[in-house]
């Protein structure tokens, strides 16, 4: 039985992509699977998958690498899936004593903008360059690449074109997505925002659109559902100011939900939004929530990100917009209100697209085969 080890610093051991999709899929295909995370403490077995998780995220890089190496030496894996550069460095150290495949799963832009926030403008430049070099070195040490989307291929796919790779989008399994297609109620609309509450992720753009919609349609009963939380004190203060100025007061705010029940939290809404700002990192992202919205049967209005437009055509189930053009976005909402048939069509099309193309079952076999083919020849 081939052994596969997941190493991650920042992701939790029960991360939806790592545990609920990748690890479970490999376990179902006969692999011996183990997950090691450094972001929370837990040791045990869940659904046949061994978990060794340690709450040492704030410790030094050296200690984190050493902990990963200890886990590798105890488990003796044949393949190591790494989510961050530190995991790659530890896997390469273990690779000196046993031949293994090192698969670097790149789902986040590195360095992320949040990593550079504490630094001055000049500091951002030098720290960004340092992190980029670290990323390139991790790519050099890896044997295989998994990219979460096409736009995440830069720069590693171009620096190391001969290394085998696969595009593995963040599609959820249908078992975690509840269908909740609605019919519009005349003179009412419920609009939904989920995720991190911050200026960068578009909460300000969302409320600005609602203000314009309310001004254009004073007779319309507008309801707002927000599922998420602020990441920082500055984000909390920013959001409080927005709420205090909002002319729409029918606002429900719920805390983030576990992904297994995520779609149930917005079952009663009509339209789902993601109006994050245009910047390099956001443009090169394919937001995960998009596929949950589609699968639930909710028409979407999203920022026109390169990561989305290069991956799929959303015109059958929503609109891509300039997040700063509140007038344009308000008109998109009005199109649904004035034409319920369009709304019904987009809702059903989104659900069909999810079931036919954009769910985990459509790509899971490709993932398993990629991991199997990455194994040392004696294990294939």
């Amino acid at each position: 039985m081939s052994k596969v080890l997941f190493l991650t610093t920042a992701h939790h051991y029960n991360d939806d992509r790592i545990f609920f999709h990748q690890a479970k899929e490999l376990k179902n295909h006969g692999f011996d699977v183990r997950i090691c995370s450094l972001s929370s403490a837990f040791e045990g077995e869940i659904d046949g998958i061994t978990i060794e998780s340690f709450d040492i995220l704030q410790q030094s890089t050296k200690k984190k690498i050493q902990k990963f190496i200890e886990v590798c030496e105890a488990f003796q894996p044949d393949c190591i899936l790494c989510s961050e550069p530190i995991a790659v460095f530890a896997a390469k150290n273990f690779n000196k004593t046993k031949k293994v495949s090192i698969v670097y799963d790149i789902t986040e832009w590195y360095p992320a903008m949040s990593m550079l926030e504490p630094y001055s403008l000049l500091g951002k430049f030098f720290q960004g360059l340092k992190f980029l070099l670290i990323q390139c070195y991790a790519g050099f040490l890896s044997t295989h690449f998994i990219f979460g989307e096409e736009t995440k291929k830069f720069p590693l796919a171009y620096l190391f074109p001969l290394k085998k790779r696969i595009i593995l989008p963040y599609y959820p399994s249908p078992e975690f997505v509840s269908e909740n297609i609605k019919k519009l109620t005349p003179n009412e609309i419920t609009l939904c925002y989920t995720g991190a509450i911050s200026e960068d992720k578009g909460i300000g753009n969302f409320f600005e659109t609602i203000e314009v919609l309310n001004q254009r349609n004073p007779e319309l009963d507008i309801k707002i559902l927000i599922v998420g939380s602020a990441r920082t004190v500055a984000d909390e203060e920013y959001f409080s100011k927005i709420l205090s100025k909002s002319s729409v007061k029918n606002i429900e705010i719920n805390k983030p939900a576990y992904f297994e029940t995520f779609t149930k939290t917005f079952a009663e809404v009509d339209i789902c939004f993601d109006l994050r700002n245009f910047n390099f990192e956001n443009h090169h992202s394919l937001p995960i929530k998009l596929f949950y919205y589609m699968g639930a049967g909710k028409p979407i209005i999203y920022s026109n990100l390169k990561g989305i437009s290069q991956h799929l055509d959303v015109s059958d189930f929503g609109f891509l917009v300039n997040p700063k053009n509140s007038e344009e976005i308000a008109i998109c909402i009005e199109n649904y209100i004035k034409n319920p048939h369009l709304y019904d069509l987009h809702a059903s099309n989104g659900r069909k697209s999810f079931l036919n193309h954009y769910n985990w079952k459509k790509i899971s076999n490709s993932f398993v085969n990629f991991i199997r083919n990455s194994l040392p020849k004696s294990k294939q």
Side-chain angles (χ1 to χ4, degrees), residues 80-139:
I80 304 176
L81 275 94
C82 306
S83 298
E84 300 90 7
I86 288 177
V88 175
F89 301 154
K92 186 60 180 179
N93 190 295
F94 174 70
N95 183 239
K96 295 176 182 177
T97 59
K98 179 184 177 180
K99 187 172 179 58
V100 297
S101 58
I102 302 174
V103 181
Y104 189 11
D105 187 5
I106 302 149
T107 59
E108 307 291 343
W109 187 256
Y110 191 96
M113 290 176 62
S114 58
M115 296 169 63
L116 304 177
E117 282 179 359
Y119 302 101
S120 65
L121 184 61
L122 187 61
K124 282 181 170 62
F125 173 78
F126 286 108
Q127 289 296 325
L129 181 60
K130 182 185 81 171
F131 288 134
L132 182 60
L133 291 175
I134 290 173
Q135 174 78 332
C136 293
Y137 185 53

Side-chain angles (χ1 to χ4, degrees), residues 149 167 169 171 286 291 306-313 358:
E149 54 231 53
I167 303 295
Y171 299 161
L286 179 62
F291 304 106
K306 183 188 296 184
I308 297 177
S309 58
Q310 287 188 357
H311 191 83
L312 72 165
D313 180 5
Y358 303 111

Side-chain angles (χ1 to χ4, degrees), residues 177 192-195 262-263 266 272-274 288-302 347 350-351 354:
V177 179
C192 179
Y193 174 104
T194 71
F262 175 56
T263 52
F266 57 85
C272 290
F273 291 77
D274 190 315
I288 304 163
K289 296 178 294 183
L290 172 64
F291 304 106
Y292 287 91
Y293 295 158
M294 290 168 55
K298 304 298 180 183
I300 59 99
I301 298 179
Y302 259 71
R351 177 67 181 176
F354 170 75

